[in-house]
Structure formats: C-alpha cells, structure tokens
C-alpha cells in the first residue's frame, strides 16, 4: 500500500528483541484495524497481532502472546510491535497491514487474501539460535 512506512526489522539472536513500526496516513489510521502478519519461506501467511485504533483493542496469535506487544501512537498515526524473547521460529518477513481482519491471528481461521487487508513492502526479521 502506498503511504505505509515500515521499519525496525533486523537480525538478532534467540532471546533478543526488536521493535517494528508502521506509519500510515491519517485517513488510513482513523477507525481502522492495523497490525502485522508474517510469512516465512514455504509457509502460509500467519496473522501476528492487530489493534483497533479507535478502542485500542488488541489481538494476538497464541504463538506470540506474552512475548509481543502491539501499541499505537495516535499523534503519529503509527502502530508498533515490540517483540521480546524472539525465537528462531519467529523468523519471517513481517508485513504491516491496514483493514486487517483481527481474526486472522487465530490459527483456526481460514483466512482468505482479502482478510489481510492491504499491506506494505514488509520488513525481514531473522532470529538465529
């Protein structure tokens, strides 16, 4: 998606931390559900976390619950994903998404491509053991 700026990926050792950020236009930010999904080579797309910018309701995949925290800064039209205690299985390309169906974070959801909304170019997260 145009006007979506992602940053914060990188390489860390297991147990390390990274923080992703995603800045969108005000029009996209207000009243939206923003978040991240990830995709590793040879694996299907996986919803990671989502946040409703209005109410601040958050959603997490069970695989990241307790390790990742999604938050927002309304003044910056930005959402953040703080990732702690990273594991090698977290290695993937992470995509910020707008108009994200928060149910995609549930492993039981058979998500179709439109459920992931529109997304940016992605940022690579690599976790070594």
């Amino acid at each position: 998606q145009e006007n979506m700026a992602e940053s914060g990926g990188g390489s860390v050792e297991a147990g390390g931390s990274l923080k992703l950020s995603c800045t969108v236009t005000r029009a996209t930010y207000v009243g939206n559900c923003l978040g991240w999904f990830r995709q590793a080579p040879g694996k299907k797309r996986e919803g990671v976390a989502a946040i409703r910018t209005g109410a601040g309701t958050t959603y997490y995949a069970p695989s990241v619950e307790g390790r990742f925290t999604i938050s927002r800064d309304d003044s910056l039209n930005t959402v953040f994903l703080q990732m702690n205690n990273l594991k090698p299985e977290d290695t993937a390309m992470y995509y910020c998404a707008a108009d994200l169906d928060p149910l995609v974070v549930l492993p039981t959801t058979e998500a179709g491509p439109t459920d992931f909304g529109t997304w940016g170019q992605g940022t690579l997260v690599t976790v070594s053991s």
Side-chain angles (χ1 to χ4, degrees):
Q1 185 192 61
E2 295 181 358
N3 299 318
M4 179 180 280
E6 302 164 285
S7 64
S11 298
V12 296
E13 294 184 348
S17 299
L18 286 172
K19 186 173 185 177
L20 307 183
S21 65
C22 177
T23 300
V24 299
T25 64
R26 187 68 181 170
T28 296
Y29 184 86
V30 175
N32 208 320
C33 186
L34 302 173
W36 276 268
F37 66 88
R38 64 188 181 188
Q39 190 162 23
K43 294 188 176 181
K44 68 176 184 178
R45 204 176 287 177
E46 178 187 15
V48 175
I51 185 168
R52 295 191 184 277
T53 57
T57 309
T58 57
Y59 307 81
Y60 295 97
S63 59
V64 307
E65 182 100 48
R67 300 188 296 122
F68 291 11
T69 302
I70 191 169
S71 61
R72 73 198 198 279
D73 186 325
D74 295 340
S75 67
L76 298 176
N77 304 326
T78 299
V79 293
F80 304 96
L81 185 67
Q82 176 67 48
M83 305 184 293
N84 297 330
N85 191 20
L86 282 160
K87 303 176 180 180
E89 51 263 44
D90 295 318
T91 296
M93 186 71 79
Y94 283 68
Y95 297 88
C96 177
D99 298 314
L100 182 69
D101 182 342
L103 294 182
V104 300
V105 304
L106 299 177
T108 54
T109 297
E110 289 292 330
T114 59
D115 295 324
F116 292 95
T118 57
W119 53 89
Q121 61 184 13
T123 186
L124 182 62
V125 171
T126 304
V127 185
S128 58
S129 57

